[in-house]
Amino acid sequence: MEEEAALCNGFEALYLAAIDSDVTLITGVPGYPVTSLMELFLKTANPSIETAKSSTEIAKSLTETANSPTNIHSSTYKARWLTNEKVALEIALGASVSGKRALVLVKHVGMNLLSDPLITSVTHTIGAGLVIIAGDDPGVKGSQNEQDSRWYGRLAEVVVFDPVGPDAAYRSLRRAYELSEETHVPVIIRVTAGLEKSEEKVRRLPASSAVHPGFDRSIWGLRMVEKHQHFHFKVYPVLEYEAENTDLNEIKKGIKEIEADVQTQEHRGIENRGIENRGIENRGIENRGIENRGVESRGIENRGVESRGVKRIGIISSGFAASIVEDALNKSGCYPEVSHLVLSLVNPLPLQKIGNFLKNNRRVLVAEESEPFIEEQIRISGNVCGKKTGHLPYGQIMPNDIEFALEHIEEETAPVPLDSVHTESGKKDRATICEDCPYLPLYRILRIPDVQVAGDMGCSVRSAPEPLAAVDVSFALGSAISVACGFEKKGIAVIGDFALAHSGILGLLTAASEGYEVLVLVLQNEVAAMTGGQKVPDLRKVVEAIVPDVSFFDLDGEEGKEDSDWEKESKSITDQEIGKKIGKKIEKKIEKKIEKEGKKPAPVSELSDLIREKLALPGISVIFIKGRCRKY
């Protein structure tokens, strides 16, 4: 069957790979950067190549074979947003043991939530293929931290793919489902926003069979300790073999290295068998259109000779960082001797392949985002540099970082801490509260002397810096209530309705059953405002069943009306003016306008009085504060 070619970005490639892999269930929790990937699946309920044309730009570059009846890729699936990552994986596990392939989409912090069932599923075993796509955030553009999901591969002892580009992403997901079913364990694919932005042609493979394995109950014949032994003696060696032999891990040779190889082959009379040209002309090497660099080493042993004066410098990279490396080498043109080991399968680490690469290169730079995952495992060799030696910054990598590292490659430690530059530039990009946020008056009145305020990983976390300084701490999504329970005296927990549904409800149950003293302010805007406006379940009746003292407050007054004059005026307020104008002046304008329109009088002052009243009471109190998000 002839393959189809499509020009698409990395997330579109994953979309196509899921359809071609016969995935029937997609669950996801919204968050940067996976939200846009999930939206591709939500655009069509029963996608095929034809419906994909209307939902994405992918079909514009499909070849004519896409319309051939024998080559139609079709799939029927259910895709839905959920509010908790652990639940999302558990639903997918249920589909897997029923013989249905499943896909789970979460951001990197969501891996923390689903790690419990993930780690247990490895020795428990599953049925049909199950893949988790973890969206990492190098540079912390839309997250509370910059953790690296590849570490969960080592912790759970599962395969982790870290695709360099769209074609690798497509092939990684296709192979991930096969490997998951061969080994009966889930597989992780780590992606970043950089993958979504990269574009290249992707060769689609024939669609997967609709017959997939269910759960094999014979595993219950083993005791728990025997399951663990079985995994390490029977399953993990399969994963290690895959890492060493997959064509997703490849060496791209430098120009001088190719010249040395060609001369060696000519000397030995060996015919050239498929070495790709990275910019060398008239040497009988096939030119496959890759500029200057990008040569694949397809099974030919790296035999570059130092006697010919080739400096043995190598780079090991994974994921989108590999594209950054290639761009930097292509643009500079100053490092023709550098060979590049690109890893798209990073756990288990292909130690034999890497060992050979280290032996053949005098100095090796490891370029990866966000943490030194690969570097930590191989730096004992002594000729490795990267983040740990200061040659590269932690987190996101830029082309100038690669150039800096190569300039100082001969030094044991780099002379300048590069991340200080990134930190200063990042301060200008700090996200702030929207200027027309209905909760701005609330954040102003939260500054109560001697009262600690726990925020959450919703919009409220943006009120922590000056000039608002409304919340004191904010640790994780859904954590506000539990954190406030630990305060020395009764404090305030500010939590969004999405965070409450995510995991905050557990903190509320604990507070109510154990008799903690806390005032909970639930910001009820009915959407996940930070991640795309996804709908949030209404938990008011649930909360009323848990807590006797529940109040409701509507900041907007009547629903369904256009923005009032004061709301329109607030849109012109700059971030610098918020701290000055959000006080008495704005509150008086709000009160006058609301009285004129016949809505509930003086909401800001009444809300302030209500908060102080509830703080004075013993036990737990909850106030639902309704405010319409102006973005959605």
Side-chain angles (χ1 to χ4, degrees), residues 481 491-495 508 518-522 620-624:
I481 301 174
I492 299 175
V494 181
I495 187 169
L508 189 67
V518 59
L519 171 58
V520 180
L521 306 181
V522 180
I620 179 172
S621 302
V622 177
I623 305 175
F624 278 86

Side-chain angles (χ1 to χ4, degrees), residues 275-289:
I275 303 178
E276 297 181 11
N277 183 6
R278 287 203 285 197
I280 302 175
E281 299 180 0
N282 302 321
R283 293 189 178 272
I285 304 175
E286 181 183 356
N287 184 349
R288 301 190 182 182

Side-chain angles (χ1 to χ4, degrees), residues 410-447:
E410 300 297 340
E411 302 170 30
E412 290 299 320
T413 58
V416 180
L418 278 187
D419 20 0
S420 61
V421 178
H422 288 198
T423 301
E424 289 300 320
S425 62
K427 289 180 180 178
K428 303 175 183 179
D429 302 325
R430 168 175 277 175
T432 58
I433 289 286
C434 296
E435 296 173 354
D436 55 356
C437 176
Y439 295 108
L440 278 173
L442 168 66
Y443 296 136
R444 176 67 177 181
I445 62 179
L446 281 181
R447 302 180 71 168

